[in-house]
Amino acid sequence: MIALDEASLIAGWFELLKRHARPRSDRGWATLRAAILRRDAYTCQLCGQSRETGAALHVDHILPVSLAGENHPDNLRTLCHTCNLARASNPFREFVE
């Protein structure tokens, strides 16, 4: 049996995350972000707030990058600031309610 200490497990976990995280170029991300906002009509996909109502909008990863989510349009959506912050505390809440 192989004995692993906590530091080795943490180092292995971070290495796994680095391999799955996709670096994004600033220009590429800005272009993708603009496309997602346009696709979603500048409207929060959870509560319906929009830029016309003064909502600050974010582009959210449905499956977080930290859990191997990718910067693919199918994994991105527009959320308002309030919904994005609420979701950050429990990214899977919407799937179990």
Coordinates of all heavy atoms in Angstrom, one line a residue:
M1 N 0.8 -1.2 0.0 CA 0.0 0.0 0.0 C 0.9 1.2 0.0 O 1.9 1.3 0.7 CB -0.9 0.0 1.2 CG -1.7 1.2 1.3 SD -2.9 1.2 2.7 CE -4.3 0.6 1.9
I2 N 0.5 2.3 -0.7 CA 1.2 3.5 -0.8 C 0.7 4.5 0.2 O -0.5 4.7 0.2 CB 1.1 4.1 -2.2 CG1 1.7 3.2 -3.3 CG2 1.8 5.5 -2.3 CD1 1.5 3.6 -4.7
A3 N 1.5 5.1 1.0 CA 1.1 6.1 2.0 C 1.3 7.4 1.4 O 2.4 7.8 0.9 CB 1.9 5.9 3.2
L4 N 0.2 8.2 1.4 CA 0.3 9.6 0.9 C 0.1 10.6 2.0 O -0.9 10.4 2.8 CB -0.7 9.8 -0.2 CG -0.6 9.0 -1.5 CD1 -1.8 9.3 -2.4 CD2 0.7 9.5 -2.2
D5 N 0.9 11.6 2.1 CA 0.7 12.6 3.1 C -0.2 13.7 2.5 O -0.5 13.7 1.3 CB 2.0 13.2 3.6 CG 2.8 13.9 2.5 OD1 2.2 14.3 1.5 OD2 4.0 14.0 2.7
E6 N -0.7 14.5 3.4 CA -1.7 15.6 2.9 C -1.1 16.5 1.9 O -1.8 16.9 0.9 CB -2.1 16.4 4.2 CG -3.2 17.4 3.9 CD -3.7 18.1 5.1 OE1 -3.4 17.7 6.2 OE2 -4.5 19.0 4.9
A7 N 0.2 16.9 2.1 CA 0.8 17.8 1.1 C 0.9 17.2 -0.3 O 0.7 17.8 -1.3 CB 2.2 18.2 1.6
S8 N 1.1 15.9 -0.4 CA 1.2 15.2 -1.7 C -0.2 15.2 -2.3 O -0.3 15.3 -3.5 CB 1.7 13.8 -1.5 OG 3.0 13.8 -1.1
L9 N -1.2 14.9 -1.5 CA -2.6 14.9 -2.0 C -3.0 16.3 -2.6 O -3.6 16.4 -3.6 CB -3.6 14.5 -1.0 CG -3.5 13.0 -0.6 CD1 -4.4 12.7 0.6 CD2 -3.9 12.1 -1.7
I10 N -2.7 17.4 -1.8 CA -3.0 18.7 -2.2 C -2.2 19.1 -3.5 O -2.8 19.6 -4.5 CB -2.7 19.7 -1.1 CG1 -3.7 19.5 0.0 CG2 -2.7 21.2 -1.6 CD1 -3.4 20.3 1.3
A11 N -0.9 18.7 -3.6 CA -0.2 19.0 -4.8 C -0.7 18.3 -6.0 O -0.8 18.8 -7.1 CB 1.3 18.6 -4.6
G12 N -1.2 17.0 -5.8 CA -1.8 16.3 -6.9 C -3.1 16.9 -7.3 O -3.4 16.9 -8.5
W13 N -3.9 17.4 -6.4 CA -5.1 18.0 -6.7 C -4.9 19.2 -7.6 O -5.6 19.5 -8.6 CB -5.9 18.3 -5.5 CG -7.2 19.1 -5.7 CD1 -7.4 20.3 -5.3 CD2 -8.4 18.6 -6.3 NE1 -8.7 20.7 -5.7 CE2 -9.3 19.6 -6.3 CE3 -8.7 17.3 -6.9 CZ2 -10.6 19.5 -6.8 CZ3 -10.0 17.2 -7.4 CH2 -10.9 18.3 -7.4
F14 N -4.0 20.1 -7.2 CA -3.7 21.3 -7.9 C -3.1 21.0 -9.3 O -3.5 21.7 -10.3 CB -2.7 22.2 -7.2 CG -3.4 23.0 -6.1 CD1 -3.2 22.8 -4.8 CD2 -4.4 24.0 -6.4 CE1 -3.8 23.5 -3.8 CE2 -5.0 24.7 -5.5 CZ -4.8 24.5 -4.1
E15 N -2.3 19.9 -9.4 CA -1.8 19.6 -10.7 C -3.0 19.1 -11.6 O -3.0 19.5 -12.8 CB -0.8 18.4 -10.6 CG -0.1 18.0 -11.9 CD 0.6 19.2 -12.6 OE1 1.2 20.0 -11.9 OE2 0.6 19.2 -13.8
L16 N -3.9 18.4 -11.1 CA -5.1 17.9 -11.9 C -5.9 19.1 -12.3 O -6.3 19.2 -13.5 CB -6.0 17.0 -11.0 CG -7.3 16.6 -11.7 CD1 -7.0 15.6 -12.8 CD2 -8.2 15.9 -10.6
L17 N -6.1 20.1 -11.5 CA -6.8 21.3 -11.8 C -6.1 22.1 -12.9 O -6.7 22.6 -13.9 CB -7.1 22.2 -10.6 CG -8.0 21.7 -9.6 CD1 -8.1 22.7 -8.4 CD2 -9.4 21.5 -10.2
K18 N -4.8 22.2 -12.8 CA -4.0 23.0 -13.8 C -4.1 22.3 -15.2 O -4.2 23.0 -16.2 CB -2.6 23.1 -13.4 CG -2.3 24.1 -12.4 CD -0.8 24.4 -12.2 CE 0.0 23.2 -11.9 NZ 1.4 23.5 -11.6
R19 N -4.2 21.0 -15.2 CA -4.3 20.3 -16.5 C -5.6 20.5 -17.2 O -5.7 20.5 -18.4 CB -4.0 18.8 -16.3 CG -2.5 18.4 -16.4 CD -2.4 16.9 -16.4 NE -2.3 16.5 -15.0 CZ -2.7 15.4 -14.5 NH1 -3.2 14.5 -15.3 NH2 -2.6 15.1 -13.2
H20 N -6.7 20.6 -16.4 CA -8.0 20.7 -16.9 C -8.4 22.1 -17.2 O -9.3 22.4 -18.0 CB -9.0 20.0 -16.0 CG -8.9 18.5 -16.1 ND1 -9.4 17.8 -17.2 CD2 -8.3 17.6 -15.3 CE1 -9.1 16.5 -17.0 NE2 -8.5 16.4 -15.9
A21 N -7.8 23.1 -16.5 CA -8.2 24.5 -16.7 C -7.7 25.0 -18.0 O -6.6 24.7 -18.4 CB -7.6 25.3 -15.5
R22 N -8.5 25.7 -18.7 CA -8.1 26.2 -20.0 C -7.7 27.7 -19.9 O -8.6 28.5 -19.4 CB -9.3 26.1 -21.0 CG -9.8 24.7 -21.2 CD -8.9 23.9 -22.0 NE -9.4 22.7 -22.5 CZ -9.3 21.5 -21.8 NH1 -8.7 21.5 -20.7 NH2 -9.9 20.4 -22.3
P23 N -6.5 28.0 -20.2 CA -6.1 29.4 -20.1 C -6.9 30.2 -21.1 O -7.2 29.7 -22.2 CB -4.6 29.5 -20.4 CG -4.4 28.2 -21.1 CD -5.4 27.2 -20.7
R24 N -7.3 31.4 -20.8 CA -8.0 32.2 -21.7 C -7.3 33.5 -22.1 O -6.8 34.1 -21.2 CB -9.4 32.5 -21.2 CG -9.4 33.3 -19.9 CD -10.8 33.5 -19.4 NE -10.9 34.5 -18.4 CZ -11.7 34.5 -17.4 NH1 -12.6 33.6 -17.3 NH2 -11.7 35.5 -16.5
S25 N -7.2 33.8 -23.3 CA -6.6 35.0 -23.7 C -7.5 36.2 -23.4 O -8.8 36.0 -23.5 CB -6.1 35.0 -25.2 OG -7.3 35.1 -26.0
D26 N -7.1 37.3 -23.1 CA -7.9 38.4 -22.8 C -8.8 38.8 -24.0 O -10.0 39.0 -23.9 CB -7.1 39.7 -22.4 CG -6.5 39.5 -21.0 OD1 -7.0 38.7 -20.3 OD2 -5.5 40.2 -20.8
R27 N -8.2 38.8 -25.2 CA -9.0 39.1 -26.4 C -10.0 38.0 -26.7 O -11.2 38.3 -27.0 CB -8.1 39.3 -27.6 CG -8.8 39.9 -28.8 CD -7.9 40.2 -29.9 NE -6.5 40.0 -29.7 CZ -5.6 39.7 -30.6 NH1 -6.0 39.6 -31.9 NH2 -4.4 39.5 -30.3
G28 N -9.6 36.8 -26.6 CA -10.5 35.6 -26.9 C -11.6 35.6 -25.9 O -12.8 35.3 -26.3
W29 N -11.4 35.8 -24.6 CA -12.4 35.8 -23.6 C -13.4 37.0 -23.8 O -14.6 36.8 -23.7 CB -11.8 35.9 -22.2 CG -12.9 36.0 -21.2 CD1 -13.2 37.0 -20.4 CD2 -13.9 35.0 -20.8 NE1 -14.3 36.7 -19.6 CE2 -14.7 35.5 -19.8 CE3 -14.1 33.7 -21.3 CZ2 -15.8 34.7 -19.3 CZ3 -15.2 32.9 -20.7 CH2 -16.0 33.5 -19.7
A30 N -12.9 38.2 -24.2 CA -13.7 39.3 -24.4 C -14.7 39.1 -25.6 O -15.9 39.4 -25.5 CB -12.9 40.6 -24.7
T31 N -14.2 38.4 -26.6 CA -15.0 38.1 -27.8 C -16.1 37.1 -27.4 O -17.3 37.2 -27.7 CB -14.1 37.6 -28.9 OG1 -13.2 38.5 -29.2 CG2 -15.0 37.2 -30.1
L32 N -15.7 36.0 -26.7 CA -16.6 35.0 -26.2 C -17.7 35.6 -25.3 O -18.8 35.3 -25.4 CB -15.9 33.8 -25.6 CG -16.7 32.6 -25.1 CD1 -17.5 32.0 -26.3 CD2 -15.8 31.6 -24.5
R33 N -17.2 36.4 -24.3 CA -18.1 37.0 -23.4 C -19.2 37.8 -24.1 O -20.4 37.7 -23.8 CB -17.3 37.9 -22.4 CG -18.2 38.5 -21.3 CD -17.3 39.4 -20.4 NE -18.1 39.9 -19.4 CZ -18.9 41.0 -19.5 NH1 -19.0 41.6 -20.6 NH2 -19.6 41.4 -18.5
A34 N -18.7 38.6 -25.1 CA -19.7 39.5 -25.8 C -20.7 38.6 -26.6 O -21.9 38.9 -26.6 CB -18.9 40.4 -26.8
A35 N -20.2 37.5 -27.1 CA -21.1 36.6 -27.9 C -22.2 35.9 -26.9 O -23.3 35.8 -27.3 CB -20.3 35.5 -28.6
I36 N -21.8 35.6 -25.7 CA -22.7 35.0 -24.8 C -23.7 36.0 -24.3 O -24.9 35.7 -24.3 CB -21.9 34.4 -23.6 CG1 -21.0 33.3 -24.0 CG2 -22.9 33.8 -22.5 CD1 -21.6 32.1 -24.8
L37 N -23.3 37.2 -24.0 CA -24.2 38.3 -23.6 C -25.2 38.5 -24.7 O -26.4 38.7 -24.5 CB -23.5 39.5 -23.3 CG -22.6 39.5 -22.0 CD1 -21.7 40.7 -21.9 CD2 -23.5 39.4 -20.7
R38 N -24.8 38.6 -26.0 CA -25.6 38.8 -27.1 C -26.6 37.7 -27.3 O -27.8 37.9 -27.5 CB -24.8 39.0 -28.4 CG -25.2 40.0 -29.3 CD -24.3 40.3 -30.5 NE -23.2 39.4 -30.8 CZ -21.9 39.6 -30.4 NH1 -21.6 40.8 -29.8 NH2 -21.0 38.8 -30.7
R39 N -26.1 36.4 -27.2 CA -26.9 35.2 -27.3 C -28.1 35.2 -26.3 O -29.2 34.9 -26.6 CB -26.1 34.0 -27.2 CG -26.9 32.7 -27.3 CD -26.1 31.5 -26.7 NE -26.0 31.6 -25.2 CZ -25.2 30.8 -24.5 NH1 -24.5 29.9 -25.1 NH2 -25.2 30.9 -23.2
D40 N -27.7 35.6 -25.1 CA -28.7 35.6 -24.0 C -29.5 36.9 -23.9 O -30.2 37.2 -22.9 CB -28.0 35.3 -22.7 CG -27.4 33.9 -22.6 OD1 -27.8 33.1 -23.4 OD2 -26.6 33.7 -21.8
A41 N -29.4 37.8 -24.9 CA -30.1 39.0 -25.0 C -29.9 39.9 -23.8 O -30.8 40.6 -23.3 CB -31.6 38.8 -25.2
Y42 N -28.7 39.9 -23.3 CA -28.3 40.8 -22.1 C -29.2 40.6 -21.0 O -29.6 41.6 -20.3 CB -28.1 42.2 -22.6 CG -27.1 42.4 -23.7 CD1 -27.4 42.3 -25.0 CD2 -25.7 42.6 -23.3 CE1 -26.5 42.5 -26.0 CE2 -24.8 42.7 -24.3 CZ -25.1 42.7 -25.6 OH -24.2 42.8 -26.6
T43 N -29.7 39.4 -20.7 CA -30.7 39.1 -19.7 C -30.2 37.9 -18.8 O -29.7 36.9 -19.3 CB -32.0 38.7 -20.3 OG1 -32.4 39.7 -21.2 CG2 -33.1 38.4 -19.3
C44 N -30.3 38.1 -17.5 CA -30.0 37.0 -16.5 C -30.8 35.8 -16.8 O -32.1 35.9 -16.9 CB -30.2 37.5 -15.1 SG -29.9 36.2 -13.9
Q45 N -30.2 34.7 -17.0 CA -30.9 33.4 -17.3 C -31.6 32.8 -16.1 O -32.3 31.8 -16.3 CB -29.9 32.4 -18.0 CG -29.3 33.0 -19.2 CD -30.3 33.3 -20.3 OE1 -31.0 32.4 -20.8 NE2 -30.5 34.6 -20.6
L46 N -31.4 33.3 -14.9 CA -32.1 32.8 -13.7 C -33.2 33.6 -13.3 O -34.3 33.1 -13.0 CB -31.1 32.6 -12.6 CG -30.0 31.5 -12.8 CD1 -29.1 31.4 -11.6 CD2 -30.6 30.2 -13.1
C47 N -33.0 35.0 -13.2 CA -34.1 35.8 -12.7 C -34.7 36.8 -13.7 O -35.8 37.4 -13.4 CB -33.6 36.6 -11.5 SG -32.5 38.0 -12.0
G48 N -34.1 36.9 -14.9 CA -34.7 37.8 -15.9 C -34.3 39.2 -15.9 O -34.7 40.0 -16.7
Q49 N -33.5 39.6 -14.9 CA -33.0 41.0 -14.9 C -32.2 41.3 -16.2 O -31.6 40.3 -16.7 CB -32.1 41.3 -13.7 CG -32.9 41.3 -12.4 CD -33.7 42.5 -12.2 OE1 -33.3 43.6 -12.5 NE2 -34.9 42.3 -11.8
S50 N -32.1 42.5 -16.6 CA -31.4 42.8 -17.9 C -30.6 44.1 -17.7 O -30.8 44.8 -16.7 CB -32.4 42.9 -19.0 OG -33.2 44.1 -18.9
R51 N -29.9 44.4 -18.7 CA -29.1 45.7 -18.7 C -30.1 46.8 -18.7 O -29.7 47.9 -18.2 CB -28.0 45.7 -19.8 CG -28.5 45.9 -21.2 CD -27.4 45.9 -22.1 NE -27.9 46.0 -23.5 CZ -27.1 46.1 -24.5 NH1 -25.8 46.1 -24.4 NH2 -27.6 46.2 -25.7
E52 N -31.2 46.7 -19.3 CA -32.2 47.7 -19.4 C -32.7 48.1 -18.0 O -33.2 49.2 -17.7 CB -33.4 47.4 -20.3 CG -33.1 47.6 -21.8 CD -32.3 46.4 -22.3 OE1 -32.4 45.3 -21.8 OE2 -31.5 46.6 -23.3
T53 N -32.8 47.1 -17.1 CA -33.2 47.3 -15.7 C -32.0 47.7 -14.8 O -32.2 47.9 -13.6 CB -33.9 46.1 -15.1 OG1 -33.0 45.0 -15.1 CG2 -35.1 45.7 -15.9
G54 N -30.9 47.9 -15.4 CA -29.7 48.3 -14.7 C -28.9 47.2 -14.0 O -28.0 47.5 -13.2
A55 N -29.2 46.0 -14.4 CA -28.4 44.9 -13.7 C -27.0 44.8 -14.2 O -26.7 45.0 -15.4 CB -29.2 43.6 -14.1
A56 N -26.1 44.5 -13.3 CA -24.7 44.3 -13.7 C -24.7 42.8 -14.1 O -25.1 41.9 -13.4 CB -23.8 44.5 -12.5
L57 N -24.2 42.5 -15.4 CA -24.2 41.2 -15.9 C -22.9 40.5 -15.9 O -21.8 41.2 -16.1 CB -24.8 41.2 -17.3 CG -26.2 41.7 -17.4 CD1 -26.7 41.9 -18.9 CD2 -27.2 40.9 -16.6
H58 N -22.8 39.2 -15.7 CA -21.6 38.4 -15.7 C -21.9 37.2 -16.6 O -23.0 36.8 -16.8 CB -21.4 37.8 -14.3 CG -21.2 38.9 -13.2 ND1 -19.9 39.2 -12.7 CD2 -22.1 39.7 -12.6 CE1 -20.1 40.1 -11.8 NE2 -21.3 40.4 -11.7
V59 N -20.8 36.7 -17.1 CA -20.9 35.4 -17.9 C -20.4 34.3 -16.9 O -19.3 34.4 -16.4 CB -20.0 35.5 -19.2 CG1 -20.0 34.1 -19.8 CG2 -20.6 36.5 -20.1
D60 N -21.2 33.4 -16.7 CA -21.1 32.3 -15.7 C -20.8 31.0 -16.3 O -21.4 30.7 -17.3 CB -22.3 32.3 -14.8 CG -22.3 31.1 -13.9 OD1 -21.5 31.0 -13.0 OD2 -23.2 30.2 -14.0
H61 N -19.9 30.2 -15.7 CA -19.6 28.8 -16.1 C -20.7 28.0 -15.4 O -20.7 28.0 -14.2 CB -18.2 28.4 -15.7 CG -17.2 29.0 -16.5 ND1 -16.6 30.2 -16.3 CD2 -16.5 28.5 -17.7 CE1 -15.7 30.5 -17.1 NE2 -15.6 29.5 -18.0
I62 N -21.5 27.3 -16.1 CA -22.5 26.4 -15.5 C -21.8 25.3 -14.7 O -22.0 25.1 -13.5 CB -23.4 25.7 -16.6 CG1 -24.2 26.9 -17.3 CG2 -24.3 24.7 -16.0 CD1 -24.9 26.4 -18.6
L63 N -20.8 24.6 -15.3 CA -19.9 23.7 -14.6 C -18.6 24.5 -14.3 O -18.0 24.9 -15.3 CB -19.6 22.4 -15.4 CG -18.7 21.4 -14.7 CD1 -19.3 20.9 -13.4 CD2 -18.4 20.3 -15.6
P64 N -18.3 24.8 -13.1 CA -17.2 25.7 -12.8 C -15.9 25.2 -13.4 O -15.7 23.9 -13.5 CB -17.1 25.7 -11.3 CG -18.5 25.4 -10.8 CD -19.0 24.4 -11.9
V65 N -15.0 26.1 -13.8 CA -13.7 25.7 -14.3 C -12.9 24.8 -13.3 O -12.2 23.9 -13.6 CB -12.9 26.9 -14.7 CG1 -11.4 26.6 -15.1 CG2 -13.5 27.7 -15.9
S66 N -13.1 25.1 -12.0 CA -12.4 24.4 -11.0 C -12.9 22.9 -10.9 O -12.2 22.1 -10.3 CB -12.7 25.0 -9.6 OG -14.0 25.0 -9.3
L67 N -14.0 22.6 -11.5 CA -14.5 21.3 -11.6 C -14.4 20.7 -13.0 O -15.2 19.9 -13.4 CB -15.9 21.2 -11.1 CG -16.1 21.6 -9.6 CD1 -17.6 21.6 -9.2 CD2 -15.3 20.6 -8.7
A68 N -13.5 21.2 -13.8 CA -13.2 20.8 -15.2 C -14.2 21.3 -16.2 O -14.3 20.8 -17.3 CB -13.1 19.3 -15.3
G69 N -14.9 22.4 -15.8 CA -15.8 23.1 -16.8 C -15.0 23.8 -17.8 O -13.9 24.3 -17.5
E70 N -15.5 23.9 -19.0 CA -14.7 24.5 -20.1 C -15.3 25.9 -20.5 O -16.5 26.2 -20.2 CB -14.6 23.6 -21.3 CG -13.9 22.3 -21.0 CD -13.7 21.4 -22.2 OE1 -13.9 21.9 -23.3 OE2 -13.3 20.3 -22.0
N71 N -14.5 26.6 -21.2 CA -15.0 27.9 -21.8 C -15.7 27.7 -23.2 O -15.3 28.3 -24.2 CB -13.8 28.9 -22.0 CG -13.2 29.3 -20.7 OD1 -13.9 29.4 -19.7 ND2 -11.9 29.6 -20.7
H72 N -16.6 26.8 -23.1 CA -17.4 26.5 -24.3 C -18.8 27.1 -24.2 O -19.4 27.2 -23.1 CB -17.5 25.0 -24.5 CG -18.2 24.6 -25.8 ND1 -19.5 24.5 -25.9 CD2 -17.6 24.2 -26.9 CE1 -19.8 24.1 -27.2 NE2 -18.7 23.9 -27.8
P73 N -19.3 27.7 -25.3 CA -20.6 28.3 -25.2 C -21.7 27.5 -24.5 O -22.6 28.1 -23.8 CB -21.0 28.6 -26.7 CG -19.7 28.8 -27.3 CD -18.8 27.8 -26.6
D74 N -21.7 26.2 -24.7 CA -22.7 25.4 -24.0 C -22.6 25.4 -22.5 O -23.5 25.0 -21.8 CB -22.6 23.9 -24.5 CG -23.1 23.8 -26.0 OD1 -23.7 24.7 -26.5 OD2 -22.7 22.8 -26.6
N75 N -21.4 25.8 -22.0 CA -21.1 25.8 -20.6 C -21.2 27.2 -20.0 O -20.9 27.4 -18.8 CB -19.8 25.1 -20.2 CG -19.6 24.9 -18.8 OD1 -20.5 24.5 -18.0 ND2 -18.4 25.3 -18.3
L76 N -21.6 28.2 -20.8 CA -21.6 29.6 -20.4 C -23.0 30.1 -20.5 O -23.8 29.8 -21.4 CB -20.7 30.4 -21.2 CG -19.2 30.0 -21.2 CD1 -18.4 30.7 -22.3 CD2 -18.6 30.3 -19.8
R77 N -23.3 31.1 -19.6 CA -24.6 31.7 -19.6 C -24.5 33.1 -18.9 O -23.5 33.3 -18.2 CB -25.7 30.9 -18.9 CG -25.4 30.8 -17.5 CD -26.4 30.0 -16.8 NE -26.0 29.6 -15.4 CZ -26.6 28.8 -14.7 NH1 -27.7 28.3 -15.0 NH2 -26.1 28.6 -13.4
T78 N -25.4 34.0 -19.2 CA -25.5 35.3 -18.6 C -26.2 35.2 -17.2 O -27.3 34.7 -17.2 CB -26.2 36.3 -19.5 OG1 -25.5 36.3 -20.7 CG2 -26.2 37.7 -18.9
L79 N -25.6 35.8 -16.2 CA -26.3 35.9 -14.9 C -26.1 37.3 -14.4 O -25.1 38.0 -14.7 CB -25.7 35.0 -13.8 CG -25.9 33.5 -14.0 CD1 -25.3 32.7 -12.8 CD2 -27.3 33.1 -14.2
C80 N -27.0 37.8 -13.7 CA -26.9 39.1 -13.0 C -25.9 39.0 -11.8 O -25.6 37.9 -11.4 CB -28.2 39.7 -12.6 SG -29.0 38.9 -11.2
H81 N -25.4 40.1 -11.3 CA -24.5 40.1 -10.2 C -25.0 39.3 -9.0 O -24.4 38.5 -8.4 CB -24.1 41.5 -9.8 CG -23.1 41.6 -8.7 ND1 -21.8 41.3 -8.9 CD2 -23.3 42.0 -7.4 CE1 -21.2 41.5 -7.7 NE2 -22.1 41.9 -6.8
T82 N -26.3 39.6 -8.7 CA -26.9 39.0 -7.5 C -27.0 37.4 -7.7 O -26.7 36.7 -6.8 CB -28.3 39.5 -7.3 OG1 -28.2 41.0 -7.1 CG2 -29.0 38.9 -6.1
C83 N -27.5 37.0 -8.8 CA -27.6 35.5 -9.0 C -26.2 34.9 -9.1 O -26.0 33.7 -8.6 CB -28.4 35.2 -10.3 SG -30.1 35.6 -10.2
N84 N -25.3 35.5 -9.7 CA -23.9 35.0 -9.8 C -23.3 34.8 -8.4 O -22.7 33.8 -8.1 CB -23.0 35.8 -10.7 CG -21.8 35.1 -11.1 OD1 -21.8 33.9 -11.3 ND2 -20.7 35.9 -11.2
L85 N -23.5 35.8 -7.5 CA -22.9 35.7 -6.2 C -23.6 34.6 -5.4 O -23.0 33.9 -4.6 CB -23.0 37.0 -5.4 CG -22.0 38.1 -5.9 CD1 -22.3 39.4 -5.1 CD2 -20.6 37.6 -5.8
A86 N -25.0 34.5 -5.5 CA -25.7 33.5 -4.8 C -25.3 32.1 -5.2 O -25.2 31.2 -4.4 CB -27.2 33.7 -5.0
R87 N -25.0 32.0 -6.5 CA -24.6 30.7 -7.1 C -23.2 30.3 -6.7 O -22.9 29.1 -6.5 CB -24.7 30.7 -8.6 CG -24.5 29.4 -9.2 CD -24.7 29.5 -10.7 NE -24.4 28.2 -11.3 CZ -23.2 27.7 -11.5 NH1 -22.2 28.4 -11.3 NH2 -23.1 26.5 -12.0
A88 N -22.4 31.3 -6.4 CA -21.0 31.0 -6.1 C -20.9 30.2 -4.8 O -20.0 29.4 -4.6 CB -20.2 32.3 -6.0
S89 N -21.8 30.4 -3.9 CA -21.8 29.7 -2.6 C -22.2 28.3 -2.7 O -21.9 27.4 -1.9 CB -22.6 30.4 -1.6 OG -24.0 30.4 -1.9
N90 N -23.0 27.9 -3.8 CA -23.4 26.6 -4.0 C -23.7 26.4 -5.4 O -24.9 26.5 -5.9 CB -24.7 26.3 -3.1 CG -25.1 24.8 -3.2 OD1 -24.5 24.0 -3.9 ND2 -26.0 24.4 -2.4
P91 N -22.7 26.0 -6.2 CA -22.9 25.9 -7.7 C -23.8 24.9 -8.2 O -24.3 24.9 -9.3 CB -21.5 25.7 -8.2 CG -20.7 25.2 -7.1 CD -21.3 25.7 -5.8
F92 N -24.2 23.9 -7.3 CA -25.1 22.8 -7.7 C -26.5 23.0 -7.2 O -27.4 22.1 -7.5 CB -24.5 21.5 -7.4 CG -23.2 21.3 -8.0 CD1 -22.0 21.3 -7.3 CD2 -23.1 21.1 -9.4 CE1 -20.8 21.2 -7.9 CE2 -21.9 20.9 -10.0 CZ -20.7 21.0 -9.2
R93 N -26.8 24.1 -6.5 CA -28.1 24.2 -5.9 C -29.2 24.2 -6.9 O -30.3 23.5 -6.7 CB -28.2 25.6 -5.1 CG -29.5 25.8 -4.4 CD -29.6 27.1 -3.7 NE -29.5 28.2 -4.8 CZ -29.1 29.4 -4.5 NH1 -28.6 29.7 -3.4 NH2 -29.1 30.3 -5.5
E94 N -29.1 24.8 -8.0 CA -30.1 24.8 -9.0 C -30.4 23.4 -9.6 O -31.5 23.2 -10.2 CB -29.8 25.8 -10.2 CG -28.6 25.4 -11.0 CD -28.1 26.5 -11.8 OE1 -27.3 27.3 -11.3 OE2 -28.4 26.5 -13.0
F95 N -29.5 22.5 -9.5 CA -29.7 21.2 -10.1 C -30.4 20.3 -9.1 O -31.0 19.2 -9.6 CB -28.4 20.5 -10.4 CG -27.6 21.3 -11.5 CD1 -26.4 21.9 -11.2 CD2 -28.1 21.4 -12.8 CE1 -25.7 22.6 -12.2 CE2 -27.4 22.1 -13.8 CZ -26.2 22.7 -13.5
V96 N -30.5 20.6 -7.8 CA -31.2 19.7 -6.9 C -32.5 20.3 -6.3 O -33.2 19.7 -5.6 CB -30.2 19.4 -5.7 CG1 -29.1 18.6 -6.2 CG2 -29.8 20.6 -5.0
E97 N -32.8 21.6 -6.7 CA -34.0 22.1 -6.2 C -35.2 21.8 -7.1 O -35.1 21.5 -8.2 CB -33.9 23.7 -6.1 CG -33.0 24.0 -4.9 CD -32.9 25.5 -4.7 OE1 -33.2 26.3 -5.7 OE2 -32.6 25.9 -3.6

